[in-house]
Amino acid sequence: MSRRVAIGPLAIACRSLSTLLASGVSIRKALRVAGSRAADRRVRRVFGELNLAVARGEEVSDAIAADGSFPPLATELMAVGDRTGNLPEVCARLADHYENLVRLRREFLRAIAFPVFQLVAAILVIALLILILGWIAQSQGGVPFDVLGFGLSGEKGALAWLGLTSGTAAVGFVVFKIARATPGGREALDPLLVHVPVLGGCLRAFAVSRFSWTLSLTMNSGVPIDRSLDSAFRATSNGAYARTRGEVIASVLAGEDLADALGRTGLFATDYLHMVEVGDHSGMVPETLDRIAPELEADGRRKLDALVAAAGWAIWAVIAGFIIFVIFRIFGFYIGMLNEAANF
């Protein structure tokens, strides 16, 4: 069982923690009260352990990192907030972010629920067709009609078809989760995903939004530019961006403009780079980034809506492909039978 706190309860806990800390409550009391109010047992456990760690003299960010129960973005930004003294603001931003994620996930699942149901139904109908055609051929002593062209027929064929489809989906899901579970895996997988049509635009919008408000927060708090950039790239939770942080930091420390260093990564839009350049020349980079971060997140939500629609159409296309393929296979089978009968 995973120790990771789910984002729904985490959003509620971050909101409660932000309110308590902004009211002047000590970190220990805030952790104790926020944990006791939580309905999720993992949140209660984590906040209780964090309270004990702080009581032993540990920094809250170190305790969070050592516990490993928070998502990478929360762990990274909690550390930033702890170092800069902006923990209440960071918790509020995290609460906003995770509340949005919960809402968007719910909308996504609701939008694709019916197309996925239809896809599963199509797979089951094909399995049933393989089974029935096998039974018919067996009862008549003939050769079963291979509806898919894979040599599948009868009970074994139906089970093989179900195993092939469900097994492929399960293996793909597991491989994806394992790849995303480590920084190295994300840095290998995410550069491919950010170039996928529709999906890539959504991932880039959310990543740049996180980058912007993290960099704004750290720079406003007086954190050196190299550490600010390192935290901002890590906060994207996207391996495509995180793997470029060393190159960008080295360029900025060498005296290059921030916009030019970011532009060489190929991951930031031209309009965004223009705004960063203006902010850099006017000495108002943090203010500029803080202003545009909400706009970028709103753009990410719009692109996520487009992704949901595209996913629905993709599933419809798969179902249509199944139906068309089966129809042509059956049509070809009966045409062959008619030809044989005519020749006879």
Side-chain angles (χ1 to χ4, degrees), residues 32-251:
R32 184 171 64 253
V33 173
S36 64
R37 291 176 180 175
D40 187 84
R41 62 180 182 82
R42 286 193 180 94
V43 174
R44 293 196 299 271
R45 174 190 61 78
V46 170
F47 274 57
E49 293 176 359
L50 293 179
N51 187 27
L52 293 175
V54 172
R56 293 194 300 266
E58 297 181 30
E59 295 289 342
V60 64
S61 58
D62 294 335
I64 289 172
D67 185 83
S69 298
F70 281 30
L73 177 65
T75 302
E76 183 66 28
L77 293 184
M78 286 286 196
V80 172
D82 202 15
R83 290 197 303 265
T84 61
N86 287 317
L87 196 55
E89 182 181 350
V90 167
C91 289
R93 292 288 189 98
L94 285 171
D96 291 338
H97 173 67
Y98 288 122
E99 285 167 1
N100 281 334
L101 279 186
V102 170
R103 180 182 61 81
L104 292 171
R105 178 181 294 178
R106 191 176 296 124
E107 291 175 359
F108 179 80
L109 293 176
R110 184 164 52 246
I112 68 169
F114 186 62
V116 169
F117 169 77
Q118 290 182 308
L119 178 62
V120 172
I123 291 172
L124 293 176
V125 166
I126 290 175
L128 184 61
L129 187 60
I130 293 172
L131 181 64
I132 292 174
L133 291 174
W135 283 346
I136 292 174
Q138 185 177 7
S139 64
Q140 296 180 352
V143 178
F145 170 54
D146 184 4
V147 68
L148 294 177
F150 298 154
L152 303 177
S153 64
E155 295 179 0
K156 291 183 179 180
L159 291 175
W161 165 249
L162 292 175
L164 176 66
T165 52
S166 60
T168 300
V171 169
F173 177 77
V174 170
V175 170
F176 176 79
K177 295 295 287 185
I178 291 174
R180 290 283 300 163
T182 62
R186 289 194 295 271
E187 291 183 11
L189 179 63
D190 289 346
L192 302 177
L193 295 180
V194 296
H195 291 100
V196 175
V198 185
L199 174 62
C202 180
L203 294 177
R204 286 195 298 270
F206 282 117
V208 176
S209 174
R210 295 169 189 163
F211 173 88
S212 300
W213 67 263
T214 304
L215 187 59
S216 170
L217 176 65
T218 52
M219 291 181 69
N220 266 329
S221 303
V223 177
I225 185 62
D226 56 338
R227 287 173 53 191
S228 294
L229 285 169
D230 184 68
S231 296
F233 275 111
R234 292 180 185 275
T236 63
S237 294
N238 190 299
Y241 288 82
R243 74 175 188 170
T244 67
R245 65 184 183 276
E247 175 189 347
V248 173
I249 291 171
S251 298

Side-chain angles (χ1 to χ4, degrees), residues 254-276:
E256 187 174 3
D257 287 344
L258 177 60
D260 293 336
L262 294 177
R264 239 190 349 269
T265 66
L267 296 170
F268 295 86
T270 302
D271 291 344
Y272 180 85
L273 295 174
H274 285 165
M275 287 185 282
V276 172

